[in-house]
Amino acid sequence: MKKTLLIAAAALAAGVISSQAQVYSQNVVGYVNVVNPANSFNLVANQLNFVGPNGTNAVNDVLVTGNFVSGGSTGTPIPQQSQLFSWNGGGYNQYYYYSAADLQALNGGTYYGPSGWYDSGFALVTATLNQGSGSFIYNPSATAITNTFVGTVVQGTVTNHIVNGFNLISVVAPLAGLALDNTNVNFPSYGDNASETYYHWNGNGYDNLYYYSAAYLFSIDPTYVADGYTPGWYDTGGANHSTTVNDPLWQNVGQASFVLYPGPATNWVSTFNVQ
């Protein structure tokens, strides 16, 4: 059921986010433990910059500390192994986890490559998991898998590109429970209707929020100010989630979400400083 929902989300989506310019601190480093629940899909984010041997924020550098499940030595990717779904703007590139021992067995006893993420042709992938983006991890195990992200906290001004359609995004800094219109997130709002939609993965599907501008609130309630409404992100019941603190519908550290952006491509500029 969860995989069906995941693939269905891809059929709806038509956008991508990419980093354009980033300023990194050389002084503030740390780690984040992200738990991938048992027998589940988890939408994860990497909010620390890491330069490893496979390149900056390569999945084969930043998604390696968890007890990921290898695909065995059958020669064919199987459902009972850890899988990574990397968003490409219109769907997912699917990758599979293999241990070095299984890869050796697959190649008739000749060492094939290191433990890590491979495509269906058993080529070590070069995909990345950069700040501001996200990917799905499928954990087939009966126990949770914890991956530890390590690296530098991204500081200063960060510019990400938002396209018309679906964007898979994460808050760039390791901050929890902040609304998209929080000043530390500063996601761009667009339009005077409720067509900008936020999709928060809850482990089984998506919880949605919709952006209501002042003009849209006025169109449905000319006395919206007196009635206590302010522009922000609302659920279908009319509750404003921009005004709540540590709202569970907003991203925790290590989480990503989809946003349907109805306007033309634009830049998402956010600023964060620890010091």
Side-chain angles (χ1 to χ4, degrees), residues 91-103:
Y92 300 93
N93 297 324
Q94 190 170 356
Y95 305 125
Y96 309 87
Y97 188 82
Y98 286 97
S99 69
D102 284 338
L103 287 168

Side-chain angles (χ1 to χ4, degrees), residues 144-189:
I145 293 175
T146 300
N147 185 79
T148 301
F149 292 97
V150 297
T152 304
V153 177
V154 179
Q155 294 194 77
T157 299
V158 180
T159 301
N160 288 307
H161 189 62
I162 301 298
V163 302
N164 174 269
F166 279 82
N167 297 264
L168 180 52
I169 69 165
S170 66
V171 178
V172 174
L175 300 171
L178 298 183
L180 289 185
D181 51 356
N182 180 279
T183 55
N184 282 319
V185 180
N186 198 37
F187 188 83
S189 61

Side-chain angles (χ1 to χ4, degrees), residues 251-266:
Q251 296 172 6
N252 202 344
V253 175
Q255 290 184 333
S257 305
F258 277 103
V259 174
L260 173 60
Y261 189 76
T266 189

Side-chain angles (χ1 to χ4, degrees), residues 45-174:
N46 170 25
Q47 292 162 316
L48 298 172
N49 183 58
F50 179 72
V51 180
N54 295 296
T56 304
N57 299 312
V59 296
N60 276 307
D61 292 325
V62 301
L63 292 173
V64 294
T65 62
N67 188 26
F68 294 109
V69 181
S70 178
S73 57
T74 63
T76 302
I78 59 175
Q80 292 77 30
Q81 72 183 118
S82 297
Q83 298 175 44
L84 176 67
F85 295 81
S86 180
W87 178 247
N88 60 28
Y92 300 93
N93 297 324
Q94 190 170 356
Y95 305 125
Y96 309 87
Y97 188 82
Y98 286 97
S99 69
D102 284 338
L103 287 168
Q104 186 178 26
L106 282 168
N107 203 32
T110 303
Y111 186 72
Y112 198 95
S115 300
W117 299 98
Y118 288 77
D119 62 22
S120 58
F122 300 101
L124 191 70
V125 301
T126 59
T128 58
L129 185 57
N130 292 313
Q131 292 72 48
S133 64
S135 290
F136 270 105
I137 289 179
Y138 172 60
N139 174 18
S141 174
T143 58
I145 293 175
T146 300
N147 185 79
T148 301
F149 292 97
V150 297
T152 304
V153 177
V154 179
Q155 294 194 77
T157 299
V158 180
T159 301
N160 288 307
H161 189 62
I162 301 298
V163 302
N164 174 269
F166 279 82
N167 297 264
L168 180 52
I169 69 165
S170 66
V171 178
V172 174

Side-chain angles (χ1 to χ4, degrees), residues 17-67:
I17 182 170
S18 60
S19 177
Q20 290 184 319
Q22 298 181 346
V23 179
Y24 300 113
S25 165
Q26 298 299 314
N27 301 315
V28 182
V29 297
Y31 69 93
V32 174
N33 289 325
V34 176
V35 178
N36 299 281
N39 300 308
S40 298
F41 286 93
N42 192 30
L43 190 48
V44 303
N46 170 25
Q47 292 162 316
L48 298 172
N49 183 58
F50 179 72
V51 180
N54 295 296
T56 304
N57 299 312
V59 296
N60 276 307
D61 292 325
V62 301
L63 292 173
V64 294
T65 62
N67 188 26

